[in-house]
Amino acid sequence: MARDVIVVGAGPVGLMTAGELRLGGADVVVYERLPQPTRQSRGASFTRRTAECFEQRGLLERLGPTEPADSHFGGVPIDLGMLEEDHYGHRGVSQFRTERMLEQWVGELGVPVLRGREVTALRQDGEGVVVRADGAGGPCEERAAYLVGCDGGRSTVRRLAKIAFPGTEGRRGFLTADVTGIATRKRRIGENLPGGSMVMAMDLEDGVTRVVVHEAGTPPPRDRDAVAFSDLADAWQRLTGESLHHGRCRWISCFTDASRAAAAYRSGRVFLAGDAAHVQPPAMAQGLSVGVQDAVNLGWKLAAVAAGRAGEELLDTYHAERHPVGAQLARNARAAIELRLTGEDMDPVREVVGELLSHPDAAAYAAGMLSNLGVRYDLAKGDHPLLGRRMPPARTLTLADGTRTTVAHLLHTGRGLLLATPGAGPHLTAAAGKFTGLDTVAATWSSTPGEAVDAVLVRPDGYVAWTAPGTADTLTDALARWFGGR
């Protein structure tokens, strides 16, 4: 019997996608090209919204201690302390630490991760996708109803599915490494240097320092594998006068300021998520974060369709909702790089941007883009401020039996929620009972979630699809759209 879904790539995005699919009841397997997990750490921080996504599944505490991450746009700081809502992200989290946590989680859910299996071909028809892969036992084929490519910026799945990847070519080169045995001054959001150069240094864990160098005029490296730690250390010394040559390099890589977004996040039964769908320079620590949010958006929808609980039209909402986010990410990354690295000619613009960001409204807008708390989907007609936005997962409720809980805790199962207060009326519970994939919870708000709301429908990804009052669509319409097809 064919599986429901094959996920290609066992990075954070692939593992999160697999976990979301399994929570929704899908039979899923993960293919990973590498035979063993690496100690590489490309992503070392994640945004506030990504932390909330982990919290919604009970995963954030599994990561252990982290540090709050400051916010900036192109090196211009944003004072998050003056904002009402908490936009601080998390930093100092090596990517392999995130991957280890997620792989343990999907293992507990019963998802097999098949390492050393490299996808070489695929074909799809009206019934499913056939994936061909090379592995230790030789070539093999497997059929699934759907395929999700989470295999990075050079995605094989994207190429085989013939999905265009428009964007800008890289013009600038960057070197990055994780180094031990050095005591350089920390430059957590980076430090601009004359002529458009930049250096960054931030703590990870166990005495490891993440170092990034951009030396103005340096072209993008031609061969990532040929980059040596001495190249980075020499550039650092030229720019700062400090020597890192005595440090011990655990990992080194390079990247460019290329920025791209896939023309489509779906081609028939093939989907893209994470860097396979969008790549950008890590100017704002967004890549891993936006990829995890892709996974949380897609997983429950694909599981519902695979199980027959929803119609195929639900899958179209993945591209409709996430492609604009990826396109905005690509645009913002280009703008941030130009602002940061153009040199002294950009100083007047930096001053103006700094003045604008000193105003709370402008700071809140920019912080919302960077924290991803500003994401709003077009989910229903209405004017309630929560509609289409994420339900703050830290909001507390008191259940009918007097137990206090949070929205995040109620979302641990990966199911949707209809949260109804005593004033909502029994007809809501009756309407919800006709649909699967969600829980109805009678509760009162312990802390008011913004404007008054008697009932709220929260999708499994944490976004509000309906409110009473404040939504023109009926609850039955909303339930049919998101939990029962049309």
mmCIF file with all atom_site columns, all heavy atoms in Angstrom, residues 62-79:
data_model
loop_
_atom_site.group_PDB
_atom_site.id
_atom_site.type_symbol
_atom_site.label_atom_id
_atom_site.label_alt_id
_atom_site.label_comp_id
_atom_site.label_asym_id
_atom_site.label_entity_id
_atom_site.label_seq_id
_atom_site.pdbx_PDB_ins_code
_atom_site.Cartn_x
_atom_site.Cartn_y
_atom_site.Cartn_z
_atom_site.occupancy
_atom_site.B_iso_or_equiv
_atom_site.pdbx_formal_charge
_atom_site.auth_seq_id
_atom_site.auth_comp_id
_atom_site.auth_asym_id
_atom_site.auth_atom_id
_atom_site.pdbx_PDB_model_num
ATOM 1   N N   . ARG A 1 62 ? 11.976 21.635 25.039 1.00 0.00 ? 62 ARG A N   1
ATOM 2   C CA  . ARG A 1 62 ? 12.924 20.557 24.747 1.00 0.00 ? 62 ARG A CA  1
ATOM 3   C C   . ARG A 1 62 ? 14.271 21.092 24.258 1.00 0.00 ? 62 ARG A C   1
ATOM 4   O O   . ARG A 1 62 ? 15.274 20.378 24.298 1.00 0.00 ? 62 ARG A O   1
ATOM 5   C CB  . ARG A 1 62 ? 12.356 19.626 23.678 1.00 0.00 ? 62 ARG A CB  1
ATOM 6   C CG  . ARG A 1 62 ? 11.131 18.822 24.093 1.00 0.00 ? 62 ARG A CG  1
ATOM 7   C CD  . ARG A 1 62 ? 10.834 17.797 23.030 1.00 0.00 ? 62 ARG A CD  1
ATOM 8   N NE  . ARG A 1 62 ? 9.638  17.011 23.311 1.00 0.00 ? 62 ARG A NE  1
ATOM 9   C CZ  . ARG A 1 62 ? 9.427  15.802 22.801 1.00 0.00 ? 62 ARG A CZ  1
ATOM 10  N NH1 . ARG A 1 62 ? 10.321 15.253 21.995 1.00 0.00 ? 62 ARG A NH1 1
ATOM 11  N NH2 . ARG A 1 62 ? 8.318  15.145 23.072 1.00 0.00 ? 62 ARG A NH2 1
ATOM 12  N N   . LEU A 1 63 ? 14.289 22.317 23.746 1.00 0.00 ? 63 LEU A N   1
ATOM 13  C CA  . LEU A 1 63 ? 15.528 22.880 23.240 1.00 0.00 ? 63 LEU A CA  1
ATOM 14  C C   . LEU A 1 63 ? 16.484 23.296 24.346 1.00 0.00 ? 63 LEU A C   1
ATOM 15  O O   . LEU A 1 63 ? 17.667 23.503 24.097 1.00 0.00 ? 63 LEU A O   1
ATOM 16  C CB  . LEU A 1 63 ? 15.230 24.091 22.355 1.00 0.00 ? 63 LEU A CB  1
ATOM 17  C CG  . LEU A 1 63 ? 14.772 23.782 20.932 1.00 0.00 ? 63 LEU A CG  1
ATOM 18  C CD1 . LEU A 1 63 ? 14.340 25.058 20.238 1.00 0.00 ? 63 LEU A CD1 1
ATOM 19  C CD2 . LEU A 1 63 ? 15.882 23.101 20.155 1.00 0.00 ? 63 LEU A CD2 1
ATOM 20  N N   . GLY A 1 64 ? 15.970 23.455 25.551 1.00 0.00 ? 64 GLY A N   1
ATOM 21  C CA  . GLY A 1 64 ? 16.835 23.909 26.629 1.00 0.00 ? 64 GLY A CA  1
ATOM 22  C C   . GLY A 1 64 ? 17.009 25.413 26.591 1.00 0.00 ? 64 GLY A C   1
ATOM 23  O O   . GLY A 1 64 ? 16.254 26.138 25.933 1.00 0.00 ? 64 GLY A O   1
ATOM 24  N N   . PRO A 1 65 ? 18.026 25.928 27.289 1.00 0.00 ? 65 PRO A N   1
ATOM 25  C CA  . PRO A 1 65 ? 18.181 27.380 27.421 1.00 0.00 ? 65 PRO A CA  1
ATOM 26  C C   . PRO A 1 65 ? 18.523 28.066 26.103 1.00 0.00 ? 65 PRO A C   1
ATOM 27  O O   . PRO A 1 65 ? 19.277 27.530 25.283 1.00 0.00 ? 65 PRO A O   1
ATOM 28  C CB  . PRO A 1 65 ? 19.327 27.515 28.429 1.00 0.00 ? 65 PRO A CB  1
ATOM 29  C CG  . PRO A 1 65 ? 20.089 26.237 28.328 1.00 0.00 ? 65 PRO A CG  1
ATOM 30  C CD  . PRO A 1 65 ? 19.065 25.192 28.020 1.00 0.00 ? 65 PRO A CD  1
ATOM 31  N N   . THR A 1 66 ? 17.930 29.223 25.908 1.00 0.00 ? 66 THR A N   1
ATOM 32  C CA  . THR A 1 66 ? 18.247 30.086 24.776 1.00 0.00 ? 66 THR A CA  1
ATOM 33  C C   . THR A 1 66 ? 18.370 31.513 25.299 1.00 0.00 ? 66 THR A C   1
ATOM 34  O O   . THR A 1 66 ? 18.092 31.789 26.470 1.00 0.00 ? 66 THR A O   1
ATOM 35  C CB  . THR A 1 66 ? 17.154 30.034 23.694 1.00 0.00 ? 66 THR A CB  1
ATOM 36  O OG1 . THR A 1 66 ? 15.930 30.558 24.247 1.00 0.00 ? 66 THR A OG1 1
ATOM 37  C CG2 . THR A 1 66 ? 16.920 28.613 23.215 1.00 0.00 ? 66 THR A CG2 1
ATOM 38  N N   . GLU A 1 67 ? 18.778 32.427 24.421 1.00 0.00 ? 67 GLU A N   1
ATOM 39  C CA  . GLU A 1 67 ? 18.878 33.843 24.776 1.00 0.00 ? 67 GLU A CA  1
ATOM 40  C C   . GLU A 1 67 ? 17.925 34.654 23.912 1.00 0.00 ? 67 GLU A C   1
ATOM 41  O O   . GLU A 1 67 ? 17.668 34.285 22.759 1.00 0.00 ? 67 GLU A O   1
ATOM 42  C CB  . GLU A 1 67 ? 20.305 34.352 24.561 1.00 0.00 ? 67 GLU A CB  1
ATOM 43  C CG  . GLU A 1 67 ? 21.351 33.737 25.460 1.00 0.00 ? 67 GLU A CG  1
ATOM 44  C CD  . GLU A 1 67 ? 22.724 34.343 25.216 1.00 0.00 ? 67 GLU A CD  1
ATOM 45  O OE1 . GLU A 1 67 ? 22.837 35.218 24.331 1.00 0.00 ? 67 GLU A OE1 1
ATOM 46  O OE2 . GLU A 1 67 ? 23.674 33.938 25.901 1.00 0.00 ? 67 GLU A OE2 1
ATOM 47  N N   . PRO A 1 68 ? 17.394 35.759 24.440 1.00 0.00 ? 68 PRO A N   1
ATOM 48  C CA  . PRO A 1 68 ? 16.556 36.619 23.598 1.00 0.00 ? 68 PRO A CA  1
ATOM 49  C C   . PRO A 1 68 ? 17.391 37.254 22.493 1.00 0.00 ? 68 PRO A C   1
ATOM 50  O O   . PRO A 1 68 ? 18.535 37.655 22.704 1.00 0.00 ? 68 PRO A O   1
ATOM 51  C CB  . PRO A 1 68 ? 16.016 37.671 24.575 1.00 0.00 ? 68 PRO A CB  1
ATOM 52  C CG  . PRO A 1 68 ? 16.983 37.671 25.717 1.00 0.00 ? 68 PRO A CG  1
ATOM 53  C CD  . PRO A 1 68 ? 17.516 36.285 25.817 1.00 0.00 ? 68 PRO A CD  1
ATOM 54  N N   . ALA A 1 69 ? 16.825 37.319 21.313 1.00 0.00 ? 69 ALA A N   1
ATOM 55  C CA  . ALA A 1 69 ? 17.522 37.874 20.151 1.00 0.00 ? 69 ALA A CA  1
ATOM 56  C C   . ALA A 1 69 ? 17.046 39.295 19.890 1.00 0.00 ? 69 ALA A C   1
ATOM 57  O O   . ALA A 1 69 ? 15.840 39.550 19.778 1.00 0.00 ? 69 ALA A O   1
ATOM 58  C CB  . ALA A 1 69 ? 17.278 37.005 18.925 1.00 0.00 ? 69 ALA A CB  1
ATOM 59  N N   . ASP A 1 70 ? 18.002 40.214 19.804 1.00 0.00 ? 70 ASP A N   1
ATOM 60  C CA  . ASP A 1 70 ? 17.680 41.591 19.460 1.00 0.00 ? 70 ASP A CA  1
ATOM 61  C C   . ASP A 1 70 ? 17.171 41.668 18.021 1.00 0.00 ? 70 ASP A C   1
ATOM 62  O O   . ASP A 1 70 ? 17.382 40.755 17.214 1.00 0.00 ? 70 ASP A O   1
ATOM 63  C CB  . ASP A 1 70 ? 18.912 42.476 19.609 1.00 0.00 ? 70 ASP A CB  1
ATOM 64  C CG  . ASP A 1 70 ? 19.439 42.485 21.034 1.00 0.00 ? 70 ASP A CG  1
ATOM 65  O OD1 . ASP A 1 70 ? 18.608 42.442 21.954 1.00 0.00 ? 70 ASP A OD1 1
ATOM 66  O OD2 . ASP A 1 70 ? 20.677 42.517 21.216 1.00 0.00 ? 70 ASP A OD2 1
ATOM 67  N N   . SER A 1 71 ? 16.515 42.758 17.693 1.00 0.00 ? 71 SER A N   1
ATOM 68  C CA  . SER A 1 71 ? 15.956 42.929 16.363 1.00 0.00 ? 71 SER A CA  1
ATOM 69  C C   . SER A 1 71 ? 16.603 44.125 15.673 1.00 0.00 ? 71 SER A C   1
ATOM 70  O O   . SER A 1 71 ? 16.940 45.124 16.311 1.00 0.00 ? 71 SER A O   1
ATOM 71  C CB  . SER A 1 71 ? 14.436 43.130 16.449 1.00 0.00 ? 71 SER A CB  1
ATOM 72  O OG  . SER A 1 71 ? 13.862 43.160 15.163 1.00 0.00 ? 71 SER A OG  1
ATOM 73  N N   . HIS A 1 72 ? 16.773 43.992 14.379 1.00 0.00 ? 72 HIS A N   1
ATOM 74  C CA  . HIS A 1 72 ? 17.305 45.093 13.586 1.00 0.00 ? 72 HIS A CA  1
ATOM 75  C C   . HIS A 1 72 ? 16.865 44.914 12.150 1.00 0.00 ? 72 HIS A C   1
ATOM 76  O O   . HIS A 1 72 ? 16.499 43.808 11.731 1.00 0.00 ? 72 HIS A O   1
ATOM 77  C CB  . HIS A 1 72 ? 18.839 45.126 13.658 1.00 0.00 ? 72 HIS A CB  1
ATOM 78  C CG  . HIS A 1 72 ? 19.480 43.954 12.975 1.00 0.00 ? 72 HIS A CG  1
ATOM 79  N ND1 . HIS A 1 72 ? 19.915 43.997 11.663 1.00 0.00 ? 72 HIS A ND1 1
ATOM 80  C CD2 . HIS A 1 72 ? 19.738 42.690 13.401 1.00 0.00 ? 72 HIS A CD2 1
ATOM 81  C CE1 . HIS A 1 72 ? 20.425 42.825 11.327 1.00 0.00 ? 72 HIS A CE1 1
ATOM 82  N NE2 . HIS A 1 72 ? 20.326 42.012 12.356 1.00 0.00 ? 72 HIS A NE2 1
ATOM 83  N N   . PHE A 1 73 ? 16.889 45.991 11.393 1.00 0.00 ? 73 PHE A N   1
ATOM 84  C CA  . PHE A 1 73 ? 16.647 45.903 9.959  1.00 0.00 ? 73 PHE A CA  1
ATOM 85  C C   . PHE A 1 73 ? 17.856 46.479 9.246  1.00 0.00 ? 73 PHE A C   1
ATOM 86  O O   . PHE A 1 73 ? 18.132 47.672 9.340  1.00 0.00 ? 73 PHE A O   1
ATOM 87  C CB  . PHE A 1 73 ? 15.387 46.669 9.546  1.00 0.00 ? 73 PHE A CB  1
ATOM 88  C CG  . PHE A 1 73 ? 15.025 46.454 8.100  1.00 0.00 ? 73 PHE A CG  1
ATOM 89  C CD1 . PHE A 1 73 ? 14.332 45.323 7.713  1.00 0.00 ? 73 PHE A CD1 1
ATOM 90  C CD2 . PHE A 1 73 ? 15.420 47.356 7.117  1.00 0.00 ? 73 PHE A CD2 1
ATOM 91  C CE1 . PHE A 1 73 ? 14.009 45.101 6.381  1.00 0.00 ? 73 PHE A CE1 1
ATOM 92  C CE2 . PHE A 1 73 ? 15.108 47.144 5.791  1.00 0.00 ? 73 PHE A CE2 1
ATOM 93  C CZ  . PHE A 1 73 ? 14.401 46.012 5.421  1.00 0.00 ? 73 PHE A CZ  1
ATOM 94  N N   . GLY A 1 74 ? 18.591 45.625 8.564  1.00 0.00 ? 74 GLY A N   1
ATOM 95  C CA  . GLY A 1 74 ? 19.788 46.071 7.861  1.00 0.00 ? 74 GLY A CA  1
ATOM 96  C C   . GLY A 1 74 ? 20.807 46.700 8.772  1.00 0.00 ? 74 GLY A C   1
ATOM 97  O O   . GLY A 1 74 ? 21.539 47.607 8.352  1.00 0.00 ? 74 GLY A O   1
ATOM 98  N N   . GLY A 1 75 ? 20.889 46.231 10.022 1.00 0.00 ? 75 GLY A N   1
ATOM 99  C CA  . GLY A 1 75 ? 21.847 46.778 10.975 1.00 0.00 ? 75 GLY A CA  1
ATOM 100 C C   . GLY A 1 75 ? 21.331 47.956 11.769 1.00 0.00 ? 75 GLY A C   1
ATOM 101 O O   . GLY A 1 75 ? 22.015 48.430 12.690 1.00 0.00 ? 75 GLY A O   1
ATOM 102 N N   . VAL A 1 76 ? 20.133 48.461 11.448 1.00 0.00 ? 76 VAL A N   1
ATOM 103 C CA  . VAL A 1 76 ? 19.527 49.563 12.211 1.00 0.00 ? 76 VAL A CA  1
ATOM 104 C C   . VAL A 1 76 ? 18.704 48.936 13.338 1.00 0.00 ? 76 VAL A C   1
ATOM 105 O O   . VAL A 1 76 ? 17.726 48.233 13.073 1.00 0.00 ? 76 VAL A O   1
ATOM 106 C CB  . VAL A 1 76 ? 18.634 50.441 11.316 1.00 0.00 ? 76 VAL A CB  1
ATOM 107 C CG1 . VAL A 1 76 ? 18.025 51.567 12.139 1.00 0.00 ? 76 VAL A CG1 1
ATOM 108 C CG2 . VAL A 1 76 ? 19.437 50.993 10.146 1.00 0.00 ? 76 VAL A CG2 1
ATOM 109 N N   . PRO A 1 77 ? 19.083 49.170 14.603 1.00 0.00 ? 77 PRO A N   1
ATOM 110 C CA  . PRO A 1 77 ? 18.405 48.487 15.718 1.00 0.00 ? 77 PRO A CA  1
ATOM 111 C C   . PRO A 1 77 ? 16.940 48.907 15.861 1.00 0.00 ? 77 PRO A C   1
ATOM 112 O O   . PRO A 1 77 ? 16.552 50.031 15.531 1.00 0.00 ? 77 PRO A O   1
ATOM 113 C CB  . PRO A 1 77 ? 19.221 48.926 16.946 1.00 0.00 ? 77 PRO A CB  1
ATOM 114 C CG  . PRO A 1 77 ? 20.513 49.435 16.413 1.00 0.00 ? 77 PRO A CG  1
ATOM 115 C CD  . PRO A 1 77 ? 20.203 50.005 15.064 1.00 0.00 ? 77 PRO A CD  1
ATOM 116 N N   . ILE A 1 78 ? 16.138 47.969 16.356 1.00 0.00 ? 78 ILE A N   1
ATOM 117 C CA  . ILE A 1 78 ? 14.741 48.229 16.709 1.00 0.00 ? 78 ILE A CA  1
ATOM 118 C C   . ILE A 1 78 ? 14.606 48.001 18.210 1.00 0.00 ? 78 ILE A C   1
ATOM 119 O O   . ILE A 1 78 ? 14.948 46.926 18.712 1.00 0.00 ? 78 ILE A O   1
ATOM 120 C CB  . ILE A 1 78 ? 13.781 47.299 15.951 1.00 0.00 ? 78 ILE A CB  1
ATOM 121 C CG1 . ILE A 1 78 ? 13.952 47.469 14.442 1.00 0.00 ? 78 ILE A CG1 1
ATOM 122 C CG2 . ILE A 1 78 ? 12.333 47.565 16.357 1.00 0.00 ? 78 ILE A CG2 1
ATOM 123 C CD1 . ILE A 1 78 ? 13.157 46.479 13.620 1.00 0.00 ? 78 ILE A CD1 1
ATOM 124 N N   . ASP A 1 79 ? 14.115 48.993 18.915 1.00 0.00 ? 79 ASP A N   1
ATOM 125 C CA  . ASP A 1 79 ? 13.938 48.884 20.364 1.00 0.00 ? 79 ASP A CA  1
ATOM 126 C C   . ASP A 1 79 ? 12.646 48.126 20.650 1.00 0.00 ? 79 ASP A C   1
ATOM 127 O O   . ASP A 1 79 ? 11.560 48.695 20.675 1.00 0.00 ? 79 ASP A O   1
ATOM 128 C CB  . ASP A 1 79 ? 13.901 50.280 20.999 1.00 0.00 ? 79 ASP A CB  1
ATOM 129 C CG  . ASP A 1 79 ? 13.716 50.227 22.507 1.00 0.00 ? 79 ASP A CG  1
ATOM 130 O OD1 . ASP A 1 79 ? 13.754 49.114 23.088 1.00 0.00 ? 79 ASP A OD1 1
ATOM 131 O OD2 . ASP A 1 79 ? 13.547 51.297 23.121 1.00 0.00 ? 79 ASP A OD2 1
#
